[in-house]
Amino acid sequence: MHQSSWKSRRHRRRGHRHNAWFRPHGSNERKDAGVQQSPQGSSDGHGEAPSTSSTAGSSSVPDLPGYYFDPEKKRYFRLLPGHNNCNPLTKESIRQKEMERKRLRLLEEEEQQGKKIARLGFNASSLLQKSKLGFLNATSYCRLAQELRVSCMQRKKVQIQSSDPSALASDQFNLIMADTNSDRLFTVNDVKVGGSKYGIISLHGLKTPTFRVHMHENLYFTNRKVNAMCWASLNHLDSHVLLCLMGIAETPGCATLLPTSLFVSNHAAGDRPGMLCSFRIPGAWSCAWSLNIQANNCFSTGLSRRVLVTSVVTGHRQSFGTSSDVLTQQFAVTAPLLFNGCRSGEIFAIDLRCQNQGKGWKATCLFHDSAVTSVQILQEEQCLMASDMAGTIKLWDLRTTKCIRQYEGHVNEYAHLPLHVHEEEGIMVAVGQDCYTRIWSLHDGQLLRTIPSPYPTSKADIPSVAFSSRLGGARGAPGLLMAVRQDLYCFSYS
């Protein structure tokens, strides 16, 4: 009897030493005991858990490997391995649940508040008082007042009229792009049978209190993916749309100039259909149309380790070899330069006056730590805005080649997402991979507004947006257009 009692005591001591290896360092024994019991569903009241989980960034709740703390039920649950649909609790499902909870909360706040102020003390009365006291000049007052109106925009659903309403209910928006005057919207829609179709939406009816637009009859359909697109001014301003289509099977990739006149059934007197032409270009990642007089009627395409500048009239091409894939491009207007952003993080400018065989055609070189997805040249062409796949947005001074401002809050990990810069309104807009649309002040980099998507966060439902200071034409009001799934929304202000 004594021998069996001695063996049981030694067994308990061994078990005590074995369990000590699983205790978190830096905690007392009573707290460790409470933590260890939580995953097993113990209701012990020792060390009551806070209402925030460690996954949400709280340091007060210990992070246990393989377990998840639910802030609502105030207990730990075991994480199951794998990412298939059979596992009800994985890290990805927890992340999606938290993001959806945040999105619904923001939508509810926007509906309840009606007008949302972005900064503390940033309101119309304080701005007016500062202006009267002489602390703000007329230019600064107008700019800050515009920022205030941006922070107070409200979402309104746009009614889309079309000759084929059934197609509007089934086809999903993929990309939208406003023209220079913001009275037309070129759209790329994904269709259920596969492939994409194109359309043009007239924005002339986009006025309060009824937001109605008309989609012109769509005549074109493709089973290939649109990698990039931009407006092209061949016959007149924005007379064409330049599309870069990915190759499929034995069909090579191409760049197509699509006349916008083909989307209008009744042509005005003297308005003849524009030229429809296609150029065989393998695997273009990006494209840009030149408005520079020294590269008239030319467009550029960014390929894998190469840049092609093509003349639409003569078909002549200039080729510039690069060390990485060119993901984004934009021509300067006054200077004969073509700016390119690469997968390697390099941003360089090509001097169009140099021949492709010559040396020194790289006029400017900047560097990001990740793949550059968008470059935007500001009006005076002394600064350049760039974003990358790490979510970094920088404003570069092209004269000193130094970063002068950084805009925080953008979310991106691997997506090819554009920037929308509007100097007239003093703002910059970008949609993150988390499906949130963010608006910053160009002047100081302040985040003015974060707009959640009307639908749950999904990689396939990242909104496509277009911002303009004159939505619907010269007499239009400034605002934001957001296309997601089959819906089009307008955030306007006056």
Side-chain angles (χ1 to χ4, degrees):
M1 181 175 179
H2 294 286
Q3 186 176 2
S4 62
S5 176
W6 176 81
K7 288 182 177 179
S8 64
R9 288 196 300 272
R10 187 173 67 171
H11 178 73
R12 285 196 298 269
R13 286 196 299 271
R14 286 182 178 177
H16 181 74
R17 288 195 300 269
H18 177 73
N19 290 336
W21 288 96
F22 295 93
R23 297 178 183 172
H25 295 287
S27 302
N28 55 44
E29 184 176 353
R30 181 171 298 180
K31 184 177 180 180
D32 293 341
V35 171
Q36 289 298 321
Q37 291 174 359
S38 299
Q40 301 173 3
S42 172
S43 60
D44 189 4
H46 298 293
E48 183 178 357
S51 60
T52 56
S53 81
S54 56
T55 58
S58 175
S59 59
S60 59
V61 179
D63 188 10
L64 297 182
Y67 290 93
Y68 161 70
F69 181 81
D70 193 316
E72 296 178 354
K73 298 183 179 179
K74 298 183 179 180
R75 54 176 292 189
Y76 287 88
F77 292 91
R78 184 174 182 180
L79 285 172
L80 300 179
H83 299 280
N84 54 52
N85 295 329
C86 299
N87 294 330
L89 197 61
T90 62
K91 290 184 177 180
E92 184 64 25
S93 64
I94 293 169
R95 182 172 174 269
Q96 289 291 337
K97 182 180 178 181
E98 291 178 351
M99 291 179 65
E100 179 63 10
R101 188 186 298 116
K102 176 184 176 182
R103 186 188 70 87
L104 293 176
R105 185 180 69 251
L106 289 177
L107 286 176
E108 184 179 358
E109 290 177 357
E110 286 193 349
E111 292 178 358
Q112 291 178 353
Q113 294 181 6
K115 291 189 176 181
K116 192 175 182 181
I117 304 303
R119 315 188 212 181
L120 184 63
F122 187 60
N123 53 59
S125 59
S126 65
L127 291 181
L128 184 59
Q129 185 178 6
K130 290 179 180 178
S131 178
K132 290 181 177 179
L133 294 175
F135 295 115
L136 289 176
N137 56 31
T139 304
S140 299
Y141 174 77
C142 293
R143 179 181 55 80
L144 292 174
Q146 288 173 343
E147 292 181 10
L148 176 62
R149 291 193 291 267
V150 166
S151 66
C152 299
M153 294 187 304
Q154 296 183 18
R155 184 179 75 247
K156 301 292 183 181
K157 190 172 181 179
V158 179
Q159 298 181 16
I160 305 176
Q161 300 174 344
S162 174
S163 58
D164 188 7
S166 60
L168 294 177
S170 59
D171 300 338
Q172 179 170 324
F173 284 107
N174 186 13
L175 297 170
I176 62 173
M177 178 179 60
D179 65 358
T180 305
N181 295 326
S182 301
D183 53 6
R184 293 177 300 171
L185 200 67
F186 185 81
T187 66
V188 178
N189 295 67
D190 293 335
V191 296
K192 284 188 175 182
V193 295
S196 302
K197 72 175 188 178
Y198 317 128
I200 287 184
I201 294 178
S202 174
L203 300 178
H204 289 292
L206 196 67
K207 298 178 181 179
T208 57
T210 59
F211 292 86
R212 294 177 183 175
V213 295
H214 179 76
M215 176 175 280
H216 291 286
E217 196 171 319
N218 191 355
L219 305 177
Y220 287 89
F221 172 84
T222 179
N223 59 349
R224 292 190 284 178
K225 179 183 177 182
V226 178
N227 275 356
M229 64 180 186
C230 67
W231 288 95
S233 302
L234 187 58
N235 299 339
H236 51 81
L237 184 64
D238 299 336
S239 61
H240 291 67
V241 176
L242 177 64
L243 299 169
C244 289
L245 304 178
M246 179 183 290
I248 182 173
E250 297 181 356
T251 305
C254 67
T256 300
L257 272 173
L258 194 64
T260 59
S261 57
L262 295 176
F263 290 88
V264 182
S265 56
N266 297 322
H267 298 288
D271 186 14
R272 295 175 296 176
M275 179 175 60
L276 173 64
C277 54
S278 182
F279 301 86
R280 180 176 176 178
I281 294 177
W285 292 103
S286 57
C287 63
W289 182 265
S290 173
L291 294 176
N292 189 286
I293 193 172
Q294 298 189 43
N296 194 25
N297 294 331
C298 290
F299 69 91
S300 174
T301 48
L303 314 179
S304 296
R305 302 178 181 273
R306 190 160 50 122
V307 173
L308 284 181
V309 179
T310 306
S311 172
V312 177
V313 179
T314 64
H316 175 70
R317 288 183 176 179
Q318 280 184 287
S319 178
F320 300 88
T322 66
S323 59
S324 181
D325 301 339
V326 181
L327 303 182
T328 178
Q329 297 179 305
Q330 188 180 9
F331 282 93
V333 178
T334 58
L337 298 174
L338 170 63
F339 287 86
N340 306 267
C342 298
R343 191 183 298 276
S344 62
E346 181 186 11
I347 302 172
F348 64 90
I350 296 176
D351 191 336
L352 300 175
R353 295 167 295 187
C354 298
Q355 298 298 322
N356 50 352
Q357 296 85 5
K359 296 181 180 180
W361 51 263
K362 280 191 177 183
T364 304
C365 285
L366 311 170
F367 295 94
H368 277 232
D369 295 331
S370 183
V372 178
T373 60
S374 183
V375 293
Q376 292 289 323
I377 306 171
L378 272 63
Q379 289 181 1
E380 295 183 359
E381 299 185 3
Q382 297 178 354
C383 295
L384 178 140
M385 190 83 70
S387 64
D388 59 33
M389 288 190 182
T392 303
I393 301 177
K394 292 183 177 181
L395 180 64
W396 293 90
D397 190 328
L398 296 177
R399 297 162 296 181
T400 62
T401 65
K402 292 183 179 179
C403 175
I404 56 178
R405 190 169 297 116
Q406 191 161 331
Y407 301 80
E408 304 293 341
H410 185 51
V411 177
N412 193 10
E413 295 177 355
Y414 56 81
H416 196 171
L417 302 174
L419 286 177
H420 306 273
V421 179
H422 300 272
E423 291 185 78
E424 185 177 354
E425 295 296 311
I427 64 170
M428 186 262 295
V429 183
V431 181
Q433 199 172 340
D434 56 354
C435 297
Y436 285 85
T437 303
R438 295 175 174 87
I439 304 176
W440 292 266
S441 167
L442 278 179
H443 176 70
D444 54 12
Q446 177 75 31
L447 181 62
L448 302 176
R449 181 79 181 270
T450 300
I451 304 175
S453 172
Y455 291 98
T457 302
S458 171
K459 297 177 182 177
D461 294 330
I462 297 178
S464 180
V465 300
F467 190 94
S468 173
S469 58
R470 297 177 182 86
L471 282 178
R475 296 183 179 181
L480 174 76
L481 288 173
M482 176 189 294
V484 55
R485 292 192 182 180
Q486 292 85 16
D487 298 329
L488 182 65
Y489 298 92
C490 181
F491 299 77
S492 65
Y493 62 95
S494 57

